[in-house]
Amino acid sequence: MDASVKEKSSHDDHSHHEEAFIWKYVFSIDHKVIGIQYGVTALLFLFFGFTLMMLMRWQLAYPGEAIPVISGLFSETTMPDGIMLPEFYNSLGAMHGTIMVFLAVVPLVVGAFGNYLVPLQVGAIDMAFPKLNMASYWVYFVGGIVMLVGFWMPGGAANSGWTSYPPLSNIATTGQTVWLLGMVFLITSSLLGSMNIIVTIVQLRAEGLTWMKLPFFTWAQLVTSFLLLLAFPPLEAAGVLQLMDRLTGSSFFMPSGLVVSGEVLDIAGGGSPLLWQHLFWFLAHPEVYVLILPALGIIAEVIANNTRKPLWGYKSMVYATIFLGFISFTVWAHHMFLTGMGTAINAFFQTTTMIISIPSVIILTALMISLWGGSIRFNSAMLFACAFLPMFGIGGLTGLPLGLTASDIHLHDTYYVIGHFHYVVAPGTIFAIFAGIYYWYPKVTGRAMNEMLGKIHFWLSLIFINGIFFPMFIQGLAGVSRRLYDGGASYAHAQDYLYLNEFMSISAWLLALAQIPFIINFFISWKSGQKAGDNHWDATTLEWSATTSPPLGHGNFEVVPTVYRGPYEYSVPGKDKDFTPQNEA
């Protein structure tokens, strides 16, 4: 009996044993269920993080005015008479950044999409370590809950920014301790998940699935997992050291002679606040590519399928992705040009920052050329994918002045920086997430989302998200600081540009309303959407061509597939149909 028949037999035997609900859907070891758990949890965190931002936008648009309707939900210690205190604004800023990056976007692109799709795309019956996979979700969930507990701590949640810079973070309120504990859980979760994805791709690929037959999405997940595995440990170590500074009186990051409220702190001293910055940004710049590489993988799958032609320059995209992952470890200190590192070190990091733009441009250019001559289907997923390209391009281009020491002196810590990285992450990565949801929703549920609602969601989101972030470039060039709780009202030189605060805030609230069609679509389609076939989009990759929609229970495939061809054989001359699945001989 060959291996595929053996695996099918064991799956059949297993399917006769009905699992209890708690083991099937709560503490499941099925990668598909865990992927859905990650996705639902991360979407809830995404909504919560967006809500925090909307509160901040009120304060920036109307500083000193009471928040209408909802101000009664907050205590007098954070909003006396409904007016936001600076300390609470700082907590909102710190938690918004932390939640959106570590609790929402990364768990979506890696935990949800990676968990659900990687085993299906490589022809594996599950992740390499199913129980470790379950542990990664629950450690993430506990970390998220620990983070949120900070809001009920004395002094409120963490208020030292999402970067937790010492010495401010070392002397902050109890919420900062909770933040650090939550980060330790979240980092541990990412390490468990990334090891699992790497081993699954390397060891469990289907017969015939050589490296250059892998879908680009799987390549992106592989490189991303290496980034997580190599970059997160320094931050976890730094988090433990900062916890020791706060709880045991050590001084890894606390300098000598620090004066707080007019008194010199009685500490041993000798610590370096800059050491934290180096350890933090050694993770946080590869973290940018942890956000963007899976997004590029999603976009590549959607574009190839909806243009009905192979990806242009597939191999160059793969090599560029590998190079991007490698060089992302050599650019972290461009966040630290103003710390006095010296011209030689500044020049090195300035050079590597310019170099790292090259592989990004290669991938983006290949995706844009892939559109040329295609018979494009403009469904909801494809609209988000097409919009991703110029939005990510704006984010990348506006980052170049920040990588040059001379221009960064003026732009550092202004709203220009906020606009730059939000164009990468919001109309960039989050648009890719929406594209992925619309594209793979039929695979997960067996039903398709409503296209009319999807297109309404797209156009409203595209308009209002640019209304939020594009004016930030104007304010940043005018010198408006990113961390002023009154939106710059105390700045004499920025008065001519503060009217944009109200415009951006209204755009943010309208963007929130624009998500209502998506939410309705998401839940209504789950039960009553149009039934989808097993290969709803006529795709070539294994998750579509070798499984049912939704896939079978724990085991995925009736017969473990064999791969005979590349991932994107669309519109091959001489073929009867315009696509040839990977598992078709």
Side-chain angles (χ1 to χ4, degrees):
M1 185 184 292
D2 64 25
S4 63
V5 176
K6 285 181 182 177
E7 291 183 35
K8 180 179 182 296
S9 300
S10 65
H11 166 70
D12 289 341
D13 294 340
H14 177 73
S15 64
H16 293 304
H17 173 66
E18 186 65 30
E19 292 180 290
F21 179 87
I22 191 171
W23 299 114
K24 189 173 183 180
Y25 296 109
V26 181
F27 297 109
S28 175
I29 57 173
D30 184 349
H31 73 96
K32 299 184 294 298
V33 175
I34 295 170
I36 293 171
Q37 288 175 325
Y38 262 114
V40 171
T41 308
L43 283 172
L44 290 173
F45 277 122
L46 187 71
F47 175 77
F48 182 67
F50 188 76
T51 302
L52 299 185
M53 182 273 287
M54 288 193 288
L55 289 173
M56 296 171 68
R57 287 306 326 172
W58 174 271
Q59 173 63 20
L60 294 171
Y62 310 110
E65 295 186 25
I67 299 179
V69 183
I70 63 170
S71 59
L73 300 175
F74 299 91
S75 69
E76 284 293 307
T77 58
T78 56
M79 283 193 189
D81 300 322
I83 299 173
M84 189 180 298
L85 292 177
E87 295 82 1
F88 186 54
Y89 178 85
N90 287 342
S91 288
L92 293 177
M95 294 304 293
H96 166 73
T98 303
I99 288 169
M100 296 303 258
V101 173
F102 297 109
L103 286 169
V105 177
V106 172
L108 274 169
V109 294
V110 179
F113 286 102
N115 249 307
Y116 199 98
L117 295 170
V118 164
L120 294 175
Q121 287 199 338
V122 302
I125 61 173
D126 203 331
M127 283 287 194
F129 309 112
K131 291 182 179 178
L132 206 64
N133 201 20
M134 177 188 71
S136 74
Y137 169 74
W138 283 106
V139 173
Y140 154 70
F141 182 81
V142 170
I145 297 302
V146 169
M147 281 274 188
L148 296 187
V149 166
F151 281 103
W152 287 271
M153 287 289 172
N159 55 13
S160 302
W162 78 282
T163 55
S164 190
Y165 277 2
L168 177 62
S169 57
N170 278 29
I171 61 174
T173 56
T174 312
Q176 200 68 36
T177 302
V178 173
W179 186 93
L180 290 164
L181 288 170
M183 283 301 298
V184 170
F185 277 103
L186 296 177
I187 293 169
T188 302
S189 167
S190 292
L191 293 177
L192 296 175
S194 58
M195 286 189 291
N196 220 344
I197 289 175
I198 291 169
V199 176
T200 300
I201 295 172
V202 172
Q203 296 285 13
L204 300 187
R205 301 193 309 280
E207 182 181 353
L209 187 58
T210 58
W211 289 107
M212 285 302 160
K213 290 179 182 176
L214 286 175
F216 184 69
F217 175 85
T218 301
W219 268 112
Q221 290 286 335
L222 180 63
V223 175
T224 298
S225 296
F226 273 109
L227 295 184
L228 288 169
L229 192 62
L230 297 174
F232 254 138
L235 183 60
E236 185 154 27
V240 172
L241 296 180
Q242 192 174 120
L243 271 172
M244 292 175 66
D245 277 7
R246 290 183 55 84
L247 301 177
T248 69
S250 61
S251 55
F252 292 102
F253 308 118
M254 293 292 279
S256 301
L258 188 67
V259 178
V260 178
S261 300
E263 296 184 8
V264 179
L265 290 188
D266 184 20
I267 55 174
S272 170
L274 289 184
L275 175 59
W276 169 270
Q277 290 197 35
H278 281 289
L279 293 170
F280 180 87
W281 288 115
F282 188 79
L283 164 275
H285 201 86
E287 179 77 4
V288 172
Y289 299 102
V290 169
L291 303 174
I292 204 63
L293 284 178
L296 289 166
I298 292 169
I299 296 303
E301 301 299 314
V302 173
I303 285 179
N305 179 264
N306 286 295
T307 57
R308 314 306 295 166
K309 60 195 288 283
L311 284 178
W312 188 90
Y314 164 81
K315 287 187 177 181
S316 67
M317 290 174 67
V318 169
Y319 295 138
T321 301
I322 296 170
F323 179 66
L324 190 66
F326 171 77
I327 201 171
S328 70
F329 288 98
T330 68
V331 299
W332 79 88
H334 68 211
H335 297 270
M336 301 170 60
F337 283 149
L338 271 65
T339 60
M341 294 182 298
T343 54
I345 295 296
N346 282 355
F348 171 79
F349 285 104
Q350 182 175 256
T351 303
T352 55
T353 301
M354 295 302 109
I355 292 172
I356 202 172
S357 65
I358 297 172
S360 301
V361 170
I362 290 172
I363 298 170
L364 197 64
T365 302
L367 291 172
M368 294 182 74
I369 295 176
S370 295
L371 299 172
W372 182 263
S375 181
I376 300 175
R377 304 185 299 201
F378 285 108
N379 48 47
S380 300
M382 189 59 172
L383 288 173
F384 275 106
C386 289
F388 168 92
L389 301 177
M391 296 296 98
F392 176 62
I394 292 172
L397 287 172
T398 53
L400 294 179
L402 299 172
L404 300 171
T405 53
S407 50
D408 186 59
I409 290 172
H410 176 69
L411 297 172
H412 184 80
D413 260 353
T414 67
Y415 267 98
Y416 183 96
V417 180
I418 303 289
H420 151 64
F421 74 70
H422 277 84
Y423 261 97
V424 173
V425 177
T429 303
I430 293 177
F431 269 24
I433 289 169
F434 282 133
I437 290 173
Y438 283 107
Y439 181 64
W440 279 294
Y441 190 92
K443 176 53 56 180
V444 177
T445 66
R447 295 181 182 273
M449 296 180 78
N450 181 278
E451 280 296 318
M452 179 61 70
L453 288 174
K455 289 172 181 175
I456 292 172
H457 173 223
F458 165 73
W459 286 110
L460 293 178
S461 296
L462 180 65
I463 293 167
F464 296 134
I465 209 163
N466 281 283
I468 301 170
F469 298 119
F470 195 82
M472 290 183 179
F473 296 129
I474 300 171
Q475 286 196 335
L477 289 168
V480 179
S481 173
R482 62 189 281 192
R483 291 193 174 93
L484 296 175
Y485 95 106
D486 62 357
S490 56
Y491 268 29
H493 71 276
Q495 296 300 310
D496 292 341
Y497 302 96
L498 297 188
Y499 72 93
L500 292 171
N501 282 329
E502 185 174 8
F503 177 82
M504 290 186 285
S505 295
I506 292 172
S507 296
W509 302 324
L510 290 173
L511 179 64
L513 294 177
Q515 306 316 302
I516 293 175
F518 169 75
I519 295 169
I520 294 172
N521 201 356
F522 187 89
F523 288 106
I524 296 297
S525 298
W526 196 285
K527 290 295 183 183
S528 57
Q530 173 195 351
K531 286 190 176 181
D534 290 340
N535 192 350
H536 181 71
W537 303 112
D538 290 338
T540 56
T541 46
L542 293 181
E543 84 273 21
W544 289 106
S545 63
T547 65
T548 57
S549 293
L552 296 169
H554 200 176
N556 296 335
F557 305 96
E558 290 187 3
V559 177
V560 176
T562 300
V563 172
Y564 298 97
R565 59 191 72 251
Y568 305 115
E569 291 207 9
Y570 290 104
S571 303
V572 177
K575 295 286 185 178
D576 294 334
K577 53 185 179 180
D578 73 343
F579 73 105
T580 307
Q582 283 190 283
N583 58 322
E584 187 174 300

